[in-house]
Amino acid sequence: MGRVKEETSGQGGVMLKIVRRLLPEFGTSYGPAGDGPFPGILILHGSEGGYSGWSHRLAVLFAAHGFLAYPHAYSRGGNAWNAGAIEEVPLDRTADALSALREFPPCSGRVGLYGLSRGGEHALLLASLMAREGQAGQADALAAHAPADVICGSFDARSFRDSGDPGWQAWDAASRAWSWRGSSEGLKPTTPIEIERYSGPVFLSHGVEDATWSVAMTRRLSARLGERRGHIETHLYEGEGHLLRSEAENLHHERLLRFFTRCLGQGGEA
């Protein structure tokens, strides 16, 4: 088969303003048309998995506002029909993806990290571990929506049931969600996430009526981060649950885009 020739306009003179680009060895990214460079954002999904489309939807939103966004599918065994498992997920792989996005030619070299729900936990934990070791290539800015402030246990979509449903099982605290440097020994459930080790700017948000992950966790994170230097902002959405409704989500996206624009800079001309 012949190679696809890149064009700036299609039939009728319509120009594609958001384009997909393959991030080698990882997956698809979304960004503005043109050479850039564009500030990068690595997006971490929650227990819905990387193939549900939600993180890709968010990546397109970032791309529409001048960012090069990569939705990182980290759940294990997931596909278009199953969310997969968050179990012994190697955080090193996410650190490698962060580095690959930073070095990707369309990227400006400044990269933010944004996680939602379990992805928020993932983002906070990765940032704390990289900071603890003084590892190069840490995120230039970090945002987390509805995160946990402690390490949580594993999740497997195949066995998940709502509370009260037949077959519901209690959370197994012995099953670990994450690994680092080939081991999960230091990442036991209920261990506090030491995000205060990370010195970069942080954005936290949460729905006050969240019945999935308590808003108390974000309040504790905000209090702990308030004791160290570095830019931090916290937004709590009154009357909102785990998923924000339209008005709150629109406001949240405006705040999130302002945060990343301020911390990462503007993209290049398309």
Side-chain angles (χ1 to χ4, degrees):
M1 296 178 63
R3 296 180 62 186
V4 177
K5 181 180 178 181
E6 185 173 350
E7 297 181 353
T8 57
S9 63
Q11 293 181 355
V14 177
M15 180 162 55
L16 193 62
K17 296 183 178 180
I18 297 173
V19 299
R20 290 179 57 184
R21 300 176 177 90
L22 177 65
L23 182 63
E25 299 184 20
F26 287 96
T28 189
S29 71
Y30 301 85
D35 295 330
F38 311 104
I41 298 178
L42 191 151
I43 300 168
L44 295 167
H45 60 77
S47 56
E48 78 281 0
Y51 298 94
S52 66
W54 287 101
S55 57
H56 288 256
R57 165 185 178 266
L58 186 56
V60 170
L61 182 141
F62 278 123
H65 292 84
F67 295 92
L68 179 67
Y70 163 57
H72 183 55
Y74 63 85
S75 52
R76 308 187 74 160
N79 55 44
W81 296 271
N82 190 291
I86 301 175
E87 183 176 9
E88 297 280 348
V89 171
L91 296 170
D92 313 71
R93 174 73 174 167
T94 309
D96 290 343
L98 197 64
S99 177
L101 181 59
R102 190 186 306 277
E103 296 170 4
F104 197 32
C107 184
S108 68
R110 294 188 62 79
V111 176
L113 191 59
Y114 178 43
L116 302 88
S117 192
R118 293 306 300 264
E121 174 193 344
H122 186 154
L124 295 171
L125 183 55
L126 176 65
S128 69
L129 291 170
M130 293 181 73
R132 185 182 70 186
E133 298 184 0
Q135 185 173 340
Q138 297 178 43
D140 295 296
L142 168 66
H145 178 71
D149 63 335
V150 298
I151 298 173
C152 298
S154 68
F155 170 86
D156 190 337
R158 294 174 301 179
S159 58
F160 176 77
R161 300 291 185 277
D162 289 326
S163 180
D165 285 355
W168 179 84
Q169 300 176 19
W171 176 42
D172 182 3
S175 185
R176 297 174 189 174
W178 318 105
S179 71
W180 179 247
R181 307 298 191 214
S183 173
S184 62
E185 281 305 302
L187 304 176
K188 296 178 181 178
T190 74
T191 302
I193 298 174
E194 299 176 318
I195 188 55
E196 57 271 25
R197 291 181 178 273
Y198 172 71
S199 61
V202 178
F203 176 109
L204 298 172
S205 56
H206 214 123
V208 174
E209 304 302 323
D210 191 336
T212 303
W213 298 113
S214 172
V215 68
M217 296 189 290
T218 288
R219 286 182 169 136
R220 289 194 294 265
L221 285 165
S222 182
R224 285 162 49 197
L225 283 168
E227 298 174 1
R228 64 96 162 127
R229 293 183 179 181
H231 175 79
I232 175 175
E233 56 183 275
T234 303
H235 301 284
L236 304 180
Y237 298 101
E238 295 288 343
E240 297 296 324
H242 194 61
L243 298 177
L244 302 178
R245 292 172 293 181
S246 296
E247 185 176 352
E249 186 184 57
N250 290 335
L251 174 60
H252 174 63
H253 286 159
E254 288 178 359
R255 289 169 168 172
L256 195 61
L257 288 163
R258 281 198 297 268
F259 169 77
F260 278 124
T261 297
R262 181 168 61 248
C263 296
L264 304 178
Q266 299 279 357
E269 292 296 327

